């Protein structure tokens, strides 16, 4: 199975260079029954045979090969290795320990929305077997026929731009303020994650009064926090707010990587606005940059650049080109915010007591948000040890009168991803 254009950037730029995996950490309301979870995993694997693959390579490219071995269920809360013997060479696995479930998945195969659908199926079958009932509305079960749009990458279907127009033209990115290079943090070889709970009711009361959604609210909050630590700068604070691009590209079923990033500048003019006006500006930028034609044009440009790099004759040449392209653009954003959205299935959500999103350290300063069962779960990712910006974010919440609970601070626990043999 070929790597689609939407996934190429994620696969070629990271395999063998970093662990590009996600660990969704869920605390359930009771200790997990391993036997029932294993049965649920078996049904889930059967529903998603197109995700039961092994990443392979030849001299020219990566590709996915069918993997008929069972997807692994591992009784541990420790880091595991995907695409290895430990995971039967699958690119995803399920771990559990006491009342925690860990969903480890390779980001090169699915983005957050794609992963959520698989996790939803797994939890549906587990809860149905454990408690005898669970709402199946919207869940991809074995009773829901496979839709070919699940495997289609909408980026593949976009019109082609002339790749020749891109030759010799490097992307024109303005370097943004960096909390590491120009700020108050020292880069570390380790990746740190700080988890915080915010009550959803209190948050929504505040966001509703200030013309914001949780995602746009936290984008403004991070910009204000960074500015409070570094008020005098030569470079701009630039935020990147990640959004699902499937609706704009006409395929909400796809499991592939399909995201759009909203660019946001925390300018001096915006800094001098009241908080509610700052949120209105951010919300307006989100609406404008989510326009169907604008998103399609951006994705067409990405596809054209990807096609051009895929013409490089060797695998190693492709890897270096994609790595330089993706990691060379990190300077364009000071920080990033990602929010998949609120968990929709209430029968499943009622059994989830915590939901943390731990992702790769590809971005030096990133906030992941998840919302379920009355709380918003913040996972702040940073490639530095200092907590000065983290404390500044908490201070912003305090000033807004929004309560929070600090849960843990730890080094990254995402799965290792073995290089392809």
């Amino acid at each position: 199975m070929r790597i689609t254009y939407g996934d190429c950037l994620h696969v070629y730029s990271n395999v063998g260079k970093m662990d590009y995996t996600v660990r969704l950490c869920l605390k359930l309301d009771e200790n997990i029954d391993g036997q029932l979870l294993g049965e649920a995993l078996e049904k889930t694997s059967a529903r998603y045979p197109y995700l039961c693959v092994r990443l392979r390579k030849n001299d020219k490219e990566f590709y996915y090969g069918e993997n008929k071995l069972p997807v692994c269920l591992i009784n541990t809360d420790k880091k595991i290795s995907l695409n290895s013997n430990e995971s039967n060479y699958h690119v995803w696995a399920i771990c559990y320990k006491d009342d925690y479930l860990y969903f480890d998945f390779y980001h090169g195969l699915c983005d957050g929305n794609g992963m959520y659908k698989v996790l939803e199926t797994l939890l549906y079958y587990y809860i149905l077997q454990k408690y005898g009932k669970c709402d199946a509305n919207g869940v991809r079960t074995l009773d829901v026929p496979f839709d070919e749009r699940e495997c289609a990458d909408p980026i593949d279907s976009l019109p082609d731009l002339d790749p020749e127009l891109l030759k010799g033209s490097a992307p024109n990115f303005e370097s943004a303020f960096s909390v590491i290079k120009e700020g108050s943090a020292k880069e570390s070889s380790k990746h740190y994650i700080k988890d915080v709970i915010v009550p959803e009711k209190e948050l929504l009361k505040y966001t509703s009064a200030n013309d914001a959604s949780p995602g746009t609210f936290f984008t403004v909050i991070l910009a204000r926090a960074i500015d409070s630590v570094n008020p005098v700068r030569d470079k701009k604070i630039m935020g990147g707010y990640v959004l699902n691009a499937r609706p704009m590209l006409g395929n909400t079923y796809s499991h592939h990587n399909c995201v759009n990033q909203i660019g946001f500048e925390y300018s001096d003019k915006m800094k001098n606005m009241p908080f509610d006006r700052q949120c209105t500006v951010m919300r307006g930028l989100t609406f404008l940059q989510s326009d169907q034609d604008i998103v399609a044009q951006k994705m067409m440009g990405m596809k054209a650049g990807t096609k051009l790099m895929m013409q490089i004759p060797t695998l190693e040449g492709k890897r270096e080109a994609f790595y330089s392209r993706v990691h060379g653009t990190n300077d364009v954003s000071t920080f990033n915010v990602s929010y998949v959205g609120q968990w929709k299935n209430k029968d499943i959500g009622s059994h989830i007591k915590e939901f943390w999103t731990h992702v790769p350290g590809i971005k030096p300063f990133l906030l992941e948000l998840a919302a379920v069962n009355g709380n918003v779960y913040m996972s702040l990712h940073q490639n530095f040890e200092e907590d000065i910006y983290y404390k500044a974010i908490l201070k912003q919440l305090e000033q807004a009168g929004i309560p929070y609970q600090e849960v843990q601070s730890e080094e990254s626990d995402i799965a290792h991803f073995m290089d392809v043999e």
Side-chain angles (χ1 to χ4, degrees), residues 305-344:
T306 298
K307 291 187 73 172
L308 183 62
M309 288 185 285
M310 287 301 291
Q311 293 175 12
I312 297 172
T314 65
L315 173 62
E316 286 307 311
K318 291 183 177 74
R319 292 173 72 160
E320 290 305 316
F322 278 102
Y323 181 84
S324 297
R325 177 67 179 271
V326 173
H327 294 265
T329 62
N330 270 350
D331 288 344
V332 74
S333 297
T334 307
F335 66 91
N336 298 81
V337 174
S338 180
Y339 176 45
V340 172
Q342 189 178 56
W343 188 271
K344 294 180 175 59

Side-chain angles (χ1 to χ4, degrees), residues 129-183:
Q129 292 168 165
K130 186 172 178 63
Y131 300 104
K133 65 174 184 176
C134 188
D135 180 17
N137 184 39
V139 182
R140 291 179 186 169
T141 68
L142 290 168
D143 297 324
V144 177
F146 164 74
D147 189 312
E148 62 183 13
R149 288 174 292 181
E150 295 175 34
C151 288
D153 185 341
I155 297 174
D156 282 358
S157 302
L158 289 171
D160 286 333
L161 295 178
D162 184 357
E164 292 297 321
L165 298 176
L166 300 175
K167 286 186 175 179
S169 60
N172 184 25
F173 294 119
E174 182 179 354
S175 180
F177 176 79
S178 167
V179 296
I180 294 175
K181 295 178 181 178
E182 293 90 28

